[in-house]
Amino acid sequence: MILSEFQTLLKKHKIEAYLVTRRNMFLTEDILPEENKIMEFTGFTGSAANLLVFQDKAVLFTDGRYEIQAKLETNPQQVKVECVKASDFFPWLNANCQNRKLKIHFNPWCWSAREYAAHSTDSSPAEFIADKKNLLGGLLSNNPVHVFPHEIEFCGIGSTEKISQIAKHLQSKNLKAYLFTAADSVSWLFNLRSNALPDTPVLRAYALVKDDGETTLFAENTDYENAVAFSQLPSYLKKFKKQNLGLDLRTTPQQIISFLSDDAYTHSADPVSAEKAIKNPIELQGIKNAHLRDAAAMCGFLCWLNDNWQGKTELDIVAKLRSFREKQSLFFSDSFPTIAGFGSNGAIVHYQPKPHTNLELKAGSMLLLDSGAQYFDGTTDITRTMAIGTPSADMVQDFTTVLKCHIALASAYFPEKTSGNALDAICRRNLWQQGKNYNHGTGHGVGCFLNVHEGPQNLSSGASYYPLQPNMVNSIEPGYYKENHYGIRIENLVYVDRVSDPNNDIPMLKFEYLTLVPIDKRLIDKYLLDDGEKIWLNSYHQTVYNKISPLVDDKVKNWLKDACSPI
Amino acid sequence: MILSEFQTLLKKHKIEAYLVTRRNMFLTEDILPEENKIMEFTGFTGSAANLLVFQDKAVLFTDGRYEIQAKLETNPQQVKVECVKASDFFPWLNANCQNRKLKIHFNPWCWSAREYAAHSTDSSPAEFIADKKNLLGGLLSNNPVHVFPHEIEFCGIGSTEKISQIAKHLQSKNLKAYLFTAADSVSWLFNLRSNALPDTPVLRAYALVKDDGETTLFAENTDYENAVAFSQLPSYLKKFKKQNLGLDLRTTPQQIISFLSDDAYTHSADPVSAEKAIKNPIELQGIKNAHLRDAAAMCGFLCWLNDNWQGKTELDIVAKLRSFREKQSLFFSDSFPTIAGFGSNGAIVHYQPKPHTNLELKAGSMLLLDSGAQYFDGTTDITRTMAIGTPSADMVQDFTTVLKCHIALASAYFPEKTSGNALDAICRRNLWQQGKNYNHGTGHGVGCFLNVHEGPQNLSSGASYYPLQPNMVNSIEPGYYKENHYGIRIENLVYVDRVSDPNNDIPMLKFEYLTLVPIDKRLIDKYLLDDGEKIWLNSYHQTVYNKISPLVDDKVKNWLKDACSPI
């Protein structure tokens, strides 16, 4: 369907406006291209967007990161681009809708109950009406999906035990049952994965778990024998009453609420979300192992790049890096589309090389390379920025500052119960002192052979309070982006560990690194590092050499020895 | 009234429980002793408390800062002490009230509408019932209060102009009127002050401001001619309807809501609170001037202390410091009761010397001195920690760490729109690296000849988002407390200023210091400071000497020269 056809539909049904979200019924950014109605209607490929379609126009809301891209990708005669936080379209409505309540239809599968409630207050400039005719068409791709178990040697705890814990949790909360609507929670709870998405092995399913441990898994187009069709949901949900069904309004589509009587459910935070963030010992060991292999692949690639960058393009880099990873055992897929940004492309935070943007590497700049893989035993996510030829003095100074930011947070101790958002300024401080900043988060949680972005913890100041706890896995990824010139980012995954020091007044936590790949010394001005920072870097590189050199061939080992030598 | 008399009253009126807050109708901590019902009933003198009185027992809720003190001051046969956040008594109710809704009476003047609503949800373990019989008796002291103007040379903007701005604000919000219930907002808006409280020149009044600029000021027992009695409030409020009266539910007593019809009011953040936090140029100049005089007093005192500490007690220190301040022009009062904690008393964060705790200064420890003054042109708040005799190596190391914390935040640059709470970790980081921390906020806003603690901005991680803006005045006050040994705190007031550097990518803010008093170099291990920290300290001391030496006599000047010499 093209935009004008959808607008014809709106006219036919006398609908003045329709909110199109970039979502399916799982309410995350992870969707297939054929599920992306915003891309279908406007051509916009960014990951954060809402589209308001009127009979004679359309307004695309996306945030500042995507401003340039959105204007390039869309037709200005059809689509007006508004750069705000994508979900923050009320000010535009207030300014453009002449003081009357606009009637906006929406697909109730593609908006959470929490979002619907937040937008439906008395002071809202619009009235939101669930589209019962499903004018937008299919929600989930019809591709056949293969479901497979996440084996116990990797997941560590059987699904029977996990479900039994959830049943106890429900009993303690006086709930008869819980409806899990977050796909990664269901995948973790049942130790199931699938090939539905290219970079995330999540099984897109809902699950109903009762307080006696009985479970029902809802999914479609899969080869999983015990799955029940989504169309059966109403019959399963209608029997609940007196708030004895728990669900998380943040991940539950508004459509589900319409299947329930008013007093049937109560909001209760998804108990799997908190649990799976804290990796169990088997998961953590698997994640460490995955990072050793991923580092071996990265080091092989970096050694190759060192000798072979001339004449190569960003897309060559993406393919070559993938070939190194594919050779590693337990490799499943990339964990997200590789960002390989050379020179000025590196300054575009969410850049992915396309044939028409693909730059050839030339001496005198830097390559920003953000990539990761899904291994059966863990998920990786790493950014390195490499000198190509001789870098400028500005590049070296900015890279060194970003490194200081990275080290400041990576080496920080912090008290128990500290929230990730409270640590953000420790990371940014060195850039701030130079009047610089970066316009993205400082770090995110990471799943185990699951989503590369996972909550509930977060290292960004905009996030809400959630305490960091031992065995949580996070990224630390400060950066600096000089528009039209270059981009720098240094990202390691780390896990939270206890500080064991009997002299401490109070129990403290720290980060231990998982990622073990050299940081490009050609971009470091060692005279800008203090003693503590030099010690951190040399110690990190010593560990990298000790752990990775046994895993690579002699040529790579020689390169690694040089890359890891002390400054 | 003693506790048992009040419990007899409860029996007589068949009331099973009564919530006593440590408040009067202005809902702040600033109350007179005779207004403190919790002290009257239990003996507890701390500033944060709620008391649940049952017919046969009483439970005092206060936070961890006051745990020891509360147990010492109360009679365990009458009062059970529970250490939680004082307002967080639901878990105790849940655990102790056998799954039925307790009926708790409360004085609706002494609890905000927001607090009442937050405690009166479906899931609340209690039902809260406004006490219409006023069983607790008087709210405000009957002492006669003298009201006087805050002159234009100090406040900078006349009340007519301020009120006219508010009227415009009301028009823009479609409000007919606004009811100001925060005493410091009313004092600022009308440029009025009073002698009602010993350390805060606030006028305890409400004010109704209409969108045409007409005002009504509600106050009692004052010599202010135009004040209307609080008993007249219902007749002034009854005419509002259709949400055309604005008020701030956080500072408005629940009693006021009962004077209004349901649809009469709407919550709207107190517009004076945001406005008065950003000091106007006259106020800022006055605050700078007040700090020069306060520094002259402090330096005179510190020079005296240097020669005369032997044989002196904490209470002698309090009196002597006051005598130096009283000699300064435009002195009005202290800005809070002076904290003078020697040795182990310094480790008690909220310590105030009393005859039975009063320690004599002895060589080999430190004196923590937190004090401030109200001058007609500004309010000061400063903490210095001084060596008495020769300090131990631990003291020097801990003091130096606290100094590093102070400098880290005092010298930080940060982007516009950064919230104070996001900066907290920058201050604590150096202590955290040693497994140490401090159990209080990092800084607070400060009024101009008003409350020494003022919102809405705050430098503590627990606070909510509020952006720091140029000309806001804040304290920076990291500390370290070694129980039973010593306490350290280094507190300066600062104001927010713009960084003017054309090389900056984005507009940045910084802090400029207002407080100009030497930091005790005998407690600094210069080998623990990095180059940037040494430069900050020497530059600070140079400024102190340049600005304060002309204001003191030769003896003090000589002491100051030594105290300010470079390390």
Side-chain angles (χ1 to χ4, degrees):
Chain A
M1 189 156 48
I2 63 171
L3 182 60
S4 61
E5 290 168 342
F6 186 63
Q7 287 172 319
T8 304
L9 264 184
L10 297 188
K11 281 174 202 154
K12 182 178 156 197
H13 291 279
K14 298 195 167 51
I15 291 173
E16 59 178 327
Y18 200 106
L19 171 69
V20 182
T21 63
R22 193 192 165 284
R23 305 268 195 77
N24 57 33
M25 58 195 284
F26 292 98
L27 305 185
T28 70
E29 291 180 359
D30 273 325
I31 58 175
L32 290 168
E34 60 262 42
E35 296 164 352
N36 187 343
K37 294 289 169 190
I38 288 184
M39 189 167 76
E40 189 175 325
F41 287 163
T42 71
F44 177 61
T45 59
S47 68
N50 275 308
L51 182 71
L52 264 185
V53 182
F54 298 82
Q55 293 183 6
D56 58 350
K57 65 182 169 191
V59 186
L60 177 71
F61 298 90
T62 186
D63 60 57
R65 298 174 298 175
Y66 286 117
E67 182 166 5
I68 299 164
Q69 181 181 335
K71 287 180 178 166
L72 285 173
E73 291 179 339
T74 59
N75 176 349
Q77 296 186 305
Q78 291 191 311
V79 179
K80 185 169 164 25
V81 174
E82 289 282 330
C83 280
V84 293
K85 207 174 137 207
S87 59
D88 192 16
F89 49 80
F90 275 10
W92 185 89
L93 287 177
N94 278 322
N96 288 274
C97 296
Q98 299 123 7
N99 259 345
R100 68 177 189 87
K101 275 220 179 193
L102 199 67
K103 287 196 167 71
I104 301 179
H105 283 62
F106 70 102
N107 184 325
W109 283 108
C110 303
W111 225 25
S112 75
R114 177 63 58 84
E115 286 168 312
Y116 170 71
H119 286 81
S120 300
T121 61
D122 285 347
S123 61
S124 166
E127 179 186 347
F128 290 90
I129 300 164
D131 164 22
K132 289 176 181 153
K133 302 201 180 81
N134 193 18
L135 295 184
L136 277 174
L139 283 162
L140 281 183
S141 155
N142 291 322
N143 297 344
V145 172
H146 172 52
V147 180
F148 54 92
H150 194 213
E151 301 292 352
I152 192 76
E153 63 184 299
F154 303 129
C155 69
I157 302 176
S159 66
T160 311
E161 188 178 336
K162 288 179 179 178
I163 289 162
S164 151
Q165 289 298 322
I166 293 297
K168 277 185 203 151
H169 172 83
L170 297 182
Q171 289 158 22
S172 77
K173 291 246 172 191
N174 281 322
L175 294 171
K176 275 279 162 219
Y178 194 92
L179 181 66
F180 290 93
T181 46
D184 62 337
S185 289
V186 174
S187 304
W188 182 90
L189 187 58
F190 289 79
N191 293 331
L192 293 175
R193 300 293 189 269
S194 90
N195 67 349
L197 294 167
D199 301 320
T200 306
V202 81
L203 169 62
R204 302 198 293 183
Y206 296 160
L208 188 68
V209 178
K210 292 194 184 162
D211 65 349
D212 62 2
E214 189 189 321
T215 63
T216 312
L217 191 138
F218 299 88
E220 276 171 11
N221 303 318
T222 74
D223 56 5
Y224 186 66
E225 285 186 359
N226 300 317
V228 172
F230 293 117
S231 59
Q232 297 298 305
L233 269 166
S235 68
Y236 277 82
L237 296 179
K238 70 183 177 195
K239 63 188 158 191
F240 293 102
K241 57 189 175 183
K242 292 194 183 160
Q243 304 181 327
N244 65 15
L245 175 68
L247 45 75
D248 193 318
L249 294 173
R250 298 167 296 185
T251 57
T252 301
Q254 174 62 18
Q255 179 68 54
I256 302 279
I257 303 301
S258 71
F259 298 153
L260 292 158
S261 57
D262 271 358
D263 68 340
Y265 64 94
T266 191
H267 170 74
S268 183
D270 181 337
V272 164
S273 175
E275 188 70 22
K276 81 173 157 38
I278 299 168
K279 273 50 182 175
N280 68 48
I282 303 288
E283 285 174 324
L284 191 60
Q285 188 56 53
I287 291 166
K288 287 178 181 173
N289 296 343
H291 276 84
L292 292 175
R293 296 194 305 280
D294 202 59
M298 277 294 294
C299 289
F301 165 80
L302 290 171
C303 171
W304 170 86
L305 181 72
N306 201 40
D307 295 340
N308 295 283
W309 60 265
Q310 263 129 336
K312 302 299 186 301
T313 68
E314 294 165 346
L315 286 171
D316 296 333
I317 298 298
V318 172
K320 191 71 189 180
L321 176 56
R322 167 90 184 200
S323 77
F324 276 95
R325 284 209 166 98
E326 282 174 346
K327 286 179 207 139
Q328 296 296 329
S329 61
L330 299 179
F331 176 84
F332 181 73
S333 69
D334 287 343
S335 59
F336 57 94
T338 294
I339 296 172
F342 176 70
S344 58
N345 280 345
I348 304 170
V349 173
H350 289 263
Y351 178 75
Q352 285 167 28
K354 302 276 158 64
H356 65 283
T357 64
N358 190 26
L359 287 181
E360 186 182 318
L361 275 56
K362 307 257 184 219
S365 193
M366 295 180 288
L367 171 68
L368 187 157
L369 187 60
D370 187 354
S371 67
Q374 298 283 0
Y375 300 92
F376 285 95
D377 51 354
T379 302
T380 69
D381 182 1
I382 171 175
T383 311
R384 287 294 180 269
T385 306
M386 281 72 64
I388 301 298
T390 305
S392 72
D394 277 0
M395 292 174 193
V396 170
Q397 192 193 319
D398 289 337
F399 184 93
T400 307
T401 305
V402 173
L403 177 61
K404 289 167 80 81
C405 289
H406 185 101
I407 295 172
L409 185 53
S411 63
Y413 288 4
F414 48 93
E416 286 182 346
K417 295 187 184 160
T418 299
S419 174
N421 60 359
L423 301 179
D424 186 56
I426 287 180
C427 195
R428 295 182 192 264
R429 179 172 170 261
N430 277 290
L431 276 163
W432 284 354
Q433 295 303 101
Q434 298 177 28
K436 294 170 178 162
N437 201 3
Y438 50 93
N439 192 16
H440 59 72
T442 289
H444 54 81
V446 181
C448 178
F449 191 45
L450 262 182
N451 292 4
V452 72
H453 288 183
E454 172 181 279
Q457 83 277 17
N458 194 301
L459 293 178
S460 302
S461 65
S464 51
Y465 176 85
Y466 199 91
L468 293 172
Q469 294 161 71
N471 288 19
M472 282 181 166
V473 173
N474 297 279
S475 72
I476 295 180
E477 47 181 308
Y480 177 64
Y481 309 91
K482 191 162 180 169
E483 205 179 331
N484 300 320
H485 289 81
Y486 52 78
I488 296 161
R489 186 157 67 245
I490 304 173
E491 176 187 26
N492 277 357
L493 296 196
V494 296
Y495 67 96
V496 180
D497 199 4
R498 295 186 191 283
V499 177
S500 58
D501 183 338
N503 292 323
N504 284 350
D505 287 3
I506 51 173
M508 303 296 288
L509 302 174
K510 63 177 175 179
F511 297 115
E512 285 287 346
Y513 34 80
L514 290 162
T515 304
L516 292 164
V517 175
I519 293 166
D520 194 342
K521 287 184 297 180
R522 295 168 297 179
L523 287 165
I524 300 173
D525 179 351
K526 69 176 176 180
Y527 298 105
L528 296 177
L529 298 183
D530 67 28
D531 290 347
E533 290 160 343
K534 277 181 224 159
I535 289 167
W536 186 94
L537 186 74
N538 288 335
S539 154
Y540 178 71
H541 277 154
Q542 182 69 51
T543 305
V544 169
Y545 184 77
N546 292 346
K547 295 207 172 178
I548 307 305
S549 61
L551 308 179
V552 294
D553 64 30
D554 284 351
K555 183 171 161 60
V556 177
K557 193 181 291 190
N558 276 335
W559 171 86
L560 193 59
K561 188 159 198 175
D562 183 51
C564 291
S565 66
I567 61 162
Chain B
M1 188 155 51
I2 62 170
L3 182 60
S4 62
E5 290 168 342
F6 186 63
Q7 288 172 318
T8 304
L9 265 184
L10 297 187
K11 281 174 202 150
K12 183 179 154 198
H13 292 279
K14 298 195 167 50
I15 289 173
E16 58 178 327
Y18 199 107
L19 171 69
V20 183
T21 63
R22 192 190 167 286
R23 306 269 193 78
N24 58 33
M25 60 195 285
F26 292 98
L27 305 185
T28 70
E29 291 179 0
D30 273 325
I31 58 175
L32 290 168
E34 60 263 41
E35 296 164 352
N36 186 344
K37 294 289 169 189
I38 288 183
M39 189 168 75
E40 190 175 323
F41 287 163
T42 71
F44 178 60
T45 59
S47 68
N50 274 309
L51 182 71
L52 264 185
V53 182
F54 297 83
Q55 293 183 7
D56 57 350
K57 65 182 171 194
V59 186
L60 177 71
F61 298 90
T62 185
D63 61 57
R65 298 174 299 175
Y66 288 117
E67 181 167 5
I68 299 163
Q69 181 182 334
K71 287 180 177 164
L72 285 172
E73 290 179 341
T74 60
N75 176 349
Q77 295 186 307
Q78 290 191 311
V79 179
K80 182 169 166 29
V81 174
E82 290 283 331
C83 282
V84 292
K85 208 174 136 205
S87 59
D88 191 17
F89 47 80
F90 275 11
W92 186 90
L93 287 178
N94 278 322
N96 288 273
C97 295
Q98 297 123 9
N99 259 345
R100 69 176 187 87
K101 275 221 180 194
L102 199 66
K103 286 195 167 72
I104 301 179
H105 283 62
F106 71 102
N107 184 325
W109 283 107
C110 303
W111 226 24
S112 75
R114 177 62 59 85
E115 286 169 313
Y116 170 73
H119 286 81
S120 300
T121 61
D122 285 347
S123 61
S124 166
E127 179 187 347
F128 290 89
I129 300 164
D131 164 21
K132 289 178 182 154
K133 302 200 177 81
N134 193 16
L135 296 183
L136 279 173
L139 283 162
L140 281 183
S141 156
N142 290 322
N143 296 343
V145 172
H146 172 54
V147 180
F148 54 93
H150 193 214
E151 302 293 352
I152 192 75
E153 63 185 296
F154 304 131
C155 69
I157 303 176
S159 67
T160 310
E161 187 178 337
K162 288 179 178 177
I163 289 161
S164 151
Q165 287 298 323
I166 294 296
K168 278 185 201 149
H169 172 82
L170 297 182
Q171 289 158 21
S172 78
K173 290 243 172 194
N174 281 320
L175 294 172
K176 276 278 161 219
Y178 194 94
L179 181 67
F180 290 94
T181 47
D184 63 338
S185 288
V186 174
S187 304
W188 182 89
L189 187 58
F190 288 78
N191 293 331
L192 292 175
R193 300 291 189 270
S194 90
N195 67 350
L197 295 167
D199 301 321
T200 306
V202 82
L203 168 62
R204 303 199 292 184
Y206 295 160
L208 188 67
V209 178
K210 291 194 185 162
D211 64 348
D212 61 1
E214 189 190 321
T215 63
T216 313
L217 192 138
F218 299 89
E220 276 173 10
N221 303 316
T222 75
D223 56 3
Y224 185 65
E225 285 186 359
N226 300 318
V228 172
F230 293 118
S231 59
Q232 298 298 306
L233 267 165
S235 69
Y236 277 82
L237 296 179
K238 70 182 176 197
K239 62 186 157 191
F240 293 102
K241 58 189 175 183
K242 291 194 183 160
Q243 304 182 327
N244 65 15
L245 175 68
L247 44 75
D248 193 319
L249 293 174
R250 296 167 298 185
T251 57
T252 301
Q254 174 62 18
Q255 180 69 52
I256 302 281
I257 303 300
S258 72
F259 297 153
L260 291 157
S261 56
D262 272 358
D263 68 341
Y265 64 94
T266 190
H267 169 74
S268 183
D270 181 338
V272 164
S273 175
E275 188 69 21
K276 80 172 157 41
I278 298 167
K279 273 50 183 174
N280 69 47
I282 304 288
E283 286 174 323
L284 190 61
Q285 188 56 54
I287 291 167
K288 287 177 181 173
N289 296 343
H291 276 85
L292 292 175
R293 296 194 304 282
D294 201 61
M298 277 293 296
C299 290
F301 166 81
L302 289 171
C303 172
W304 170 86
L305 181 72
N306 202 40
D307 295 340
N308 297 284
W309 61 265
Q310 261 129 339
K312 302 299 186 300
T313 68
E314 294 164 347
L315 286 170
D316 296 333
I317 298 299
V318 172
K320 191 72 189 176
L321 175 56
R322 167 91 184 197
S323 77
F324 276 95
R325 283 210 167 98
E326 282 173 347
K327 287 179 207 138
Q328 296 297 328
S329 62
L330 300 179
F331 176 85
F332 180 75
S333 70
D334 288 342
S335 58
F336 57 95
T338 294
I339 295 171
F342 176 70
S344 58
N345 281 345
I348 304 169
V349 173
H350 289 263
Y351 178 74
Q352 285 168 26
K354 303 275 159 65
H356 64 282
T357 63
N358 190 24
L359 288 180
E360 186 181 317
L361 276 54
K362 306 257 185 222
S365 193
M366 295 181 288
L367 172 66
L368 187 157
L369 187 60
D370 187 354
S371 68
Q374 298 282 1
Y375 301 92
F376 286 95
D377 50 354
T379 302
T380 69
D381 183 1
I382 171 175
T383 310
R384 286 295 180 268
T385 305
M386 282 72 65
I388 301 298
T390 305
S392 71
D394 277 0
M395 293 173 192
V396 170
Q397 192 193 320
D398 289 337
F399 184 94
T400 308
T401 305
V402 174
L403 177 61
K404 289 167 79 80
C405 290
H406 185 99
I407 294 172
L409 185 52
S411 63
Y413 288 5
F414 47 93
E416 286 183 346
K417 296 184 183 163
T418 300
S419 173
N421 61 0
L423 300 180
D424 186 55
I426 287 180
C427 196
R428 294 181 192 263
R429 179 172 170 259
N430 276 290
L431 276 163
W432 284 354
Q433 295 303 101
Q434 298 176 28
K436 293 170 179 161
N437 201 4
Y438 50 94
N439 192 16
H440 59 71
T442 290
H444 53 80
V446 181
C448 178
F449 192 46
L450 262 183
N451 292 2
V452 72
H453 288 183
E454 173 181 280
Q457 83 277 19
N458 193 301
L459 293 178
S460 302
S461 65
S464 51
Y465 176 85
Y466 199 90
L468 294 172
Q469 293 160 75
N471 288 17
M472 284 182 165
V473 174
N474 297 279
S475 72
I476 294 179
E477 48 179 309
Y480 177 65
Y481 309 92
K482 190 161 179 171
E483 205 179 330
N484 300 319
H485 289 82
Y486 52 80
I488 296 160
R489 186 159 62 246
I490 304 173
E491 176 187 26
N492 277 358
L493 296 197
V494 295
Y495 67 96
V496 180
D497 199 5
R498 295 186 191 281
V499 178
S500 58
D501 183 337
N503 292 322
N504 284 349
D505 287 2
I506 50 173
M508 303 296 290
L509 302 174
K510 63 177 174 178
F511 297 116
E512 285 286 347
Y513 34 79
L514 291 162
T515 304
L516 291 163
V517 176
I519 294 165
D520 193 341
K521 287 185 296 178
R522 296 168 297 179
L523 288 165
I524 299 173
D525 179 350
K526 69 176 175 180
Y527 298 104
L528 296 177
L529 298 184
D530 67 29
D531 290 347
E533 291 161 344
K534 277 180 225 160
I535 288 168
W536 185 94
L537 186 74
N538 288 335
S539 154
Y540 178 72
H541 277 154
Q542 183 68 51
T543 305
V544 170
Y545 185 76
N546 291 347
K547 296 206 171 179
I548 307 306
S549 61
L551 309 178
V552 294
D553 64 30
D554 284 350
K555 183 171 161 63
V556 177
K557 194 181 292 192
N558 277 334
W559 171 84
L560 193 59
K561 187 158 196 174
D562 184 50
C564 292
S565 66
I567 60 165

